[in-house]
Amino acid sequence: MTAALSNDLVLAIPELILAIGAMALLLLGAFRGEGAAGLVNWAAVGVLALAAWATLAGTGEAPRLAFSRLFVVDDFARFMKLLVLLGAALTLPMARSFMARAGAERFEFGVLVLLATLGMLVMISANDLITLYVGLELQSLALYVLAAFLRDDAKSTEAGLKYFVLGALSSGMLLYGASLIYGFSGTTNFVDLAATLGHGDGTGPAIGVVVGIVFLSAGLAFKVSAVPFHMWTPDVYEGAPTPVTAFFAAAPKVAAMALFVRTMISPLGDLAPQWQQIIVFMAVASMLLGAFAAIGQSNLKRLLAYSSIGHVGYALVGLAAGGLQGVRGVLVYMAIYMVMTLGSFGCLLAMRRGGQMVERVDELGGLSRTNPMLAFVLAALMFSLAGIPPLAGFFAKYFVFVAAIDAGLVVLSVIGMLASVVSGFYYLRVVKVMYFDDAVGPLDRPIPLPVRLVVTASGLLTVLYFIVPAPLLVSAEAAAKSLMP
Amino acid sequence: MNLEVLVFYLFASITVAAAVMVISARNPVHSVLFLILAFFNAAGLFLLCGAEFLAMILVIVYVGAVAVLFLFVVMMLDINFAELRQGFLQYLPIGGLIGVILLVELALVLGSWTILPSAGGVAAAQTPAIGDITNTDALGRILYTHYLLPFQLAGMILLVAMVGAIVLTLRARPGVRRQSISAQNARTKELAAELKKVSSGQGV
C-alpha cells in the first residue's frame, strides 16, 4: 500500500467502518439465519457509534482532500455526518419492536440501514460530481428497499415502488444537469469547478452551465423533498413502515441538505446570483405548501410529511441567504429539526391501541388523561415544530430568518413567518385533540424501552435547549466556516 | 467520398431505421430485436470514432445483458402492447410540442457552446493521444487509481441491489422437501431397513 493511499484511507475511516461493518453483519446474518435479527440490529448500532467516534478525529483541522480530490473531509462534513449517524443509530433500536410485531424482523434491516448511512456519509463528503452521484445512488437504492420492507403490505410495497420510480427520474435529471456542467466547464471536480466558474470574463457563465445548475438543483430538491419536487413525500411517508419513515425524515434529509449546501456554496458559490432565485422560489413554495396542505390531513404520518416539506423550506431560506450566517442557520436548523422529527415519530411508534398503530389525529383524543407524559412530550414537540418560543424549534427558525434579513431577503423572511403562523394551526390542532377532546381509550402498554428513551431525550432536548444553546451554535459556526473559501 | 463516410452513413441510417421500428413494430418481441440491431449499429458508430472500448461495452452490456433482460420481460409478462399504444394519436400533439420545445432549448444551449478559457488546464484526466495507447488501456489506468473511490462504491451499490432483491423476493416456503446429505449419510442399515421374518404361506 502506498503512503498516499493509506493517507486517503485514514480520512475515510468512518466510511470504512460502515462498509466493513455492513459486510460483516451480512455474513453473520447469513450464517446465523433469521434468529440473528436482534443481534445484527444492536451490532449495527455499535458500528454506527464506532463510526461516529471515528468521525470526531481531527476536528478543527483545515479541510483535507483525499482519493485524488474526489473526497473532502472538513468540519462541515463532520457536523453533518454526526447528525446522520445519530439519526440512524436512534431509529434502529426503535424499529426492532415494530418489525417484530409486523412479523418482518429480518437481519437485512440493520444491514440496509448501515449501507444507506454509508451512502449518506459519502454524499456529505463528496467533492466531485461523480462521488456525489455514486453516494446518492447508494443511499437511495437502500432506501427504496427499506420503504418496501413490509413486502406483504400493499401500502409499503406501493411506497417503495413510487419512491423508486420517482427517484430514478430525479437521478436522471441530476445526471443531465451534471453532464451539462461537465460539458461546459470541462471538469467534474468541485475545486476545479469553483476555479473555472469563479472568474469569468465578466460575461457571466455560459447558458449551458445555468441550465445544468437548474437540473442539478431539481435533482437535489427531489432528495430533500422541496416543492415542486415533493409529490412523493406524503405517499412514501404514509406507506413506509413507521420506523423507516422516521429514518427517512431524519437521516437522508440531513444528508441531502448537506449535499445541497456544499454543491451550491462550494463549487457554484460564485454563481450565487444564478441559483439564488431558484432556491428562493423553492423555499417560498415549500413553506407555503407545507403550511396549507397539511391543514386537511387526518393521518399523522401524512401530516408530518407535509410538515417536513415545510421545514425543508425554512432550511432553504438559510441556503438562499448564503454566507457564513446562512449556512450556520441551515446547520442549526437541520440539527434541531432532526431531534424534533425523531421525537415525533418516536411518539407515533409508542402509540398502539388494540394491537393497531395509532395513525389518525382523531385517535389521539384525550391522550392527556390516558397517557399524560406522552401527551406532554408530543405537545411540546408540536409547539416546537410550530416554532413557539422558548422551545428549540423557535431558535432554529430565528437563526435562519436573521441570516435572510441580513442578506436583504426581507420579503422571503416575512413570507416564512406568515407560513409558520399558518402551520401553527395544524400543530395546535393535534394538541387540542389530545387535551380537550373526549378520551378514545387507553393505549397498549408497555411502550418499548428504546422508544421511551428516544422520546424522552428528544422531549428534554427540545424543551431545555434554550438553557444551553451555545455548544450547538459554536460547532455549527465552526462547521460553516470550514465551508467558506 | 471515402470509405469511412460511406460506412458511417450505413451504420447511421440502419440505427435510425431500427430505432423507428422499435417504437412502431406491432410485435413487442420484434421491437426488442430491432433494439438490439440499433445497439449493434451504434457500436459500429463508436468504432468509427476510435472509441473501441465504448463499442465493446455497448455490445456486452446492452446487447448481452439489457436486451436479453428486456426480451425476458416482454416474453414473460403478458402485456397487451396494442392497448398501451391506443392513446398514441391522442397524446401526439402535446408530446410533439414538448419535443419541439426541448429541441429548441438544446439548439439554444449548443449554439452558445463556449468552453471557458480556463477549462482546458483543469480536466480531471488529460486524454492521451490516440496513437499512444488504446483507450481500454487509458481507462484502465485511471479507473483503478484516480477513480478508485467511486469504483469501490459502485461495488457497494451492486451489493445493495443484491441484498435488496433477496429481501424483497426470497420467500421461505414451508413444506419443501430438500436433500440433506448429512442426514442421508447418518442413516444406518438398522434405521433404513427393517427385516421381517415372514413365515411361509401366511403373508405379511
Side-chain angles (χ1 to χ4, degrees):
Chain A
M1 192 189 293
T2 60
L5 182 59
S6 57
N7 278 343
D8 290 352
L9 290 178
V10 166
L11 284 178
I13 281 180
E15 285 79 4
L16 288 176
I17 291 177
L18 283 189
I20 295 171
M23 289 188 278
L25 291 182
L26 194 61
L27 280 180
L28 178 73
F31 279 116
R32 292 279 304 271
E34 292 308 323
L39 178 65
V40 169
N41 204 305
W42 284 114
V45 176
V47 171
L48 288 167
L50 202 61
W53 175 74
T55 308
L56 284 172
T59 310
E61 285 174 14
R64 286 177 64 187
L65 302 174
F67 295 107
S68 358
R69 303 188 304 159
L70 295 173
F71 190 82
V72 62
V73 179
D74 52 12
D75 279 351
F76 176 77
R78 288 193 191 96
F79 186 92
M80 287 308 213
K81 280 181 186 176
L82 279 181
L83 281 187
V84 165
L85 290 167
L86 184 72
L90 290 184
T91 16
L92 272 176
M94 287 206 294
R96 259 210 75 197
S97 54
F98 180 93
M99 289 300 179
R101 278 205 206 91
E105 204 185 18
R106 293 207 297 273
F107 72 88
E108 287 96 341
F109 186 81
V111 174
L112 283 169
V113 168
L114 280 188
L115 288 167
T117 315
L118 170 66
M120 290 175 217
L121 296 201
V122 173
M123 281 159 69
I124 293 171
S125 270
N127 196 41
D128 192 288
L129 290 173
I130 294 177
T131 325
L132 178 159
Y133 178 68
V134 175
L136 200 67
E137 273 315 288
L138 180 55
Q139 177 229 219
S140 309
L141 206 59
L143 293 185
Y144 304 147
V145 181
L146 284 176
F149 205 77
L150 297 181
R151 57 187 184 186
D152 296 319
D153 181 70
K155 268 192 170 175
S156 171
T157 319
E158 186 200 328
L161 191 63
K162 208 170 244 178
Y163 195 21
F164 174 62
V165 172
L166 291 173
L169 181 73
S170 85
S171 292
M173 287 200 282
L174 189 130
L175 276 182
Y176 186 52
S179 74
L180 277 173
I181 292 177
Y182 172 60
F184 278 86
S185 60
T187 175
T188 55
N189 192 279
F190 283 1
V191 181
D192 295 335
L193 273 174
T196 316
L197 302 172
H199 32 78
D201 43 5
T203 52
I207 187 161
V209 175
V210 179
V211 175
I213 293 175
V214 171
F215 277 99
L216 191 72
S217 33
L220 291 173
F222 177 91
K223 299 295 176 193
V224 295
S225 72
V227 179
F229 304 99
H230 65 283
M231 287 80 81
W232 58 277
T233 321
D235 292 345
V236 172
Y237 276 31
E238 188 191 352
T242 310
V244 175
T245 314
F247 184 56
F248 279 7
K253 211 156 251 197
V254 172
M257 191 52 94
L259 186 63
F260 211 159
V261 170
R262 188 190 289 285
T263 317
M264 289 301 154
I265 301 286
S266 158
L268 307 173
D270 290 307
L271 303 183
Q274 264 78 30
W275 55 256
Q276 199 185 32
Q277 39 190 323
I278 307 176
I279 306 292
V280 168
F281 169 75
M282 283 180 190
V284 169
S286 307
M287 289 187 296
L288 290 180
L289 188 114
F292 283 99
I295 290 177
Q297 301 302 327
S298 56
N299 183 303
L300 273 168
K301 277 160 93 180
R302 282 187 90 84
L303 188 125
L304 284 173
Y306 280 108
S307 146
S308 87
I309 294 174
H311 283 287
V312 164
Y314 296 112
L316 285 177
V317 170
L319 177 56
L324 185 62
Q325 261 199 317
V327 175
R328 188 191 68 173
V330 177
L331 293 172
V332 173
Y333 202 100
M334 290 323 283
I336 293 179
Y337 162 78
M338 203 186 79
V339 171
M340 296 188 298
T341 309
L342 279 177
S344 322
F345 278 103
C347 289
L348 273 187
L349 280 169
M351 293 187 291
R352 71 178 42 242
R353 185 176 288 132
Q356 290 289 314
M357 295 301 290
V358 171
E359 283 187 0
R360 295 175 54 82
V361 175
D362 49 20
E363 285 176 301
L364 292 176
L367 194 66
S368 63
R369 271 148 284 158
T370 55
N371 209 329
M373 277 314 290
L374 189 64
F376 175 74
V377 174
L378 189 53
L381 287 167
M382 288 294 140
F383 276 120
S384 176
L385 283 168
I388 289 169
L391 301 171
F394 165 75
F395 291 96
K397 288 201 172 73
Y398 172 77
F399 289 118
V400 172
F401 285 139
V402 165
I405 290 172
D406 282 353
L409 299 167
V410 180
V411 181
L412 179 63
S413 337
V414 171
I415 296 177
M417 286 168 207
L418 292 179
S420 110
V421 173
V422 176
S423 68
F425 170 76
Y426 59 82
Y427 291 126
L428 296 188
R429 188 165 58 112
V430 174
V431 178
K432 177 235 162 203
V433 170
M434 286 192 300
Y435 278 86
F436 301 109
D437 282 11
D438 294 333
V440 179
L443 296 174
D444 291 2
R445 282 174 194 272
I447 299 169
L449 182 68
V451 176
R452 236 183 306 162
L453 285 180
V454 171
V455 168
T456 315
S458 153
L460 282 179
L461 282 175
T462 314
V463 175
L464 300 180
Y465 171 72
F466 72 95
I467 298 178
V468 272
L472 180 62
L473 280 182
V474 171
S475 47
E477 173 123 12
K481 215 171 256 165
S482 75
L483 197 60
M484 295 296 137
Chain B
M1 206 59 162
N2 51 21
L3 184 66
E4 207 173 298
V5 176
L6 271 180
V7 176
F8 169 78
Y9 280 114
L10 179 72
F11 281 141
S13 52
I14 297 180
T15 309
V16 174
V20 171
M21 287 307 287
V22 171
I23 53 171
S24 59
R26 284 215 160 268
N27 187 335
V29 178
H30 292 176
S31 284
V32 178
L33 291 175
F34 275 116
L35 191 67
I36 295 175
L37 182 62
F39 283 149
F40 266 115
N41 284 283
L45 288 175
F46 274 129
L47 268 184
L48 280 182
C49 306
E52 73 272 0
F53 183 74
L54 274 181
M56 284 192 303
I57 284 292
L58 199 68
V59 172
I60 294 171
V61 175
Y62 279 84
V63 179
V66 178
V68 172
L69 192 72
F70 274 6
L71 209 55
F72 265 117
V73 170
V74 165
M75 291 197 296
M76 286 178 34
L77 300 180
D78 189 20
I79 302 172
N80 187 352
F81 280 86
E83 206 171 87
L84 275 182
R85 218 176 280 133
Q86 256 173 8
F88 186 68
L89 279 180
Q90 193 186 338
Y91 296 121
L92 191 61
I94 183 129
L97 187 71
I98 293 174
V100 169
I101 292 175
L102 279 179
L103 204 64
V104 170
E105 280 179 348
L106 210 59
L108 278 178
V109 168
L110 284 180
S112 72
W113 188 290
T114 45
I115 295 216
L116 296 173
S118 48
V122 296
Q126 301 294 343
T127 320
I130 286 187
D132 290 352
I133 53 175
T134 64
N135 50 62
T136 315
D137 195 349
L139 278 172
R141 278 186 199 176
I142 60 166
L143 188 59
Y144 304 111
T145 55
H146 192 94
Y147 290 104
L148 176 71
L149 178 72
F151 184 77
Q152 294 291 339
L153 285 170
M156 295 306 287
I157 295 182
L158 290 178
L159 178 68
V160 171
M162 206 166 74
V163 174
I166 293 174
V167 166
L168 293 182
T169 55
L170 183 73
R171 277 163 206 280
R173 263 190 267 161
V176 180
R177 284 159 184 270
R178 285 209 174 79
Q179 183 181 23
S180 167
I181 292 174
S182 57
Q184 275 178 357
N185 287 342
R187 268 158 74 97
T188 55
K189 198 165 75 183
E190 288 74 35
L191 282 172
E194 189 183 350
L195 286 180
K196 286 239 167 148
K197 203 125 188 109
V198 183
S199 39
S200 61
Q202 301 218 331
V204 184

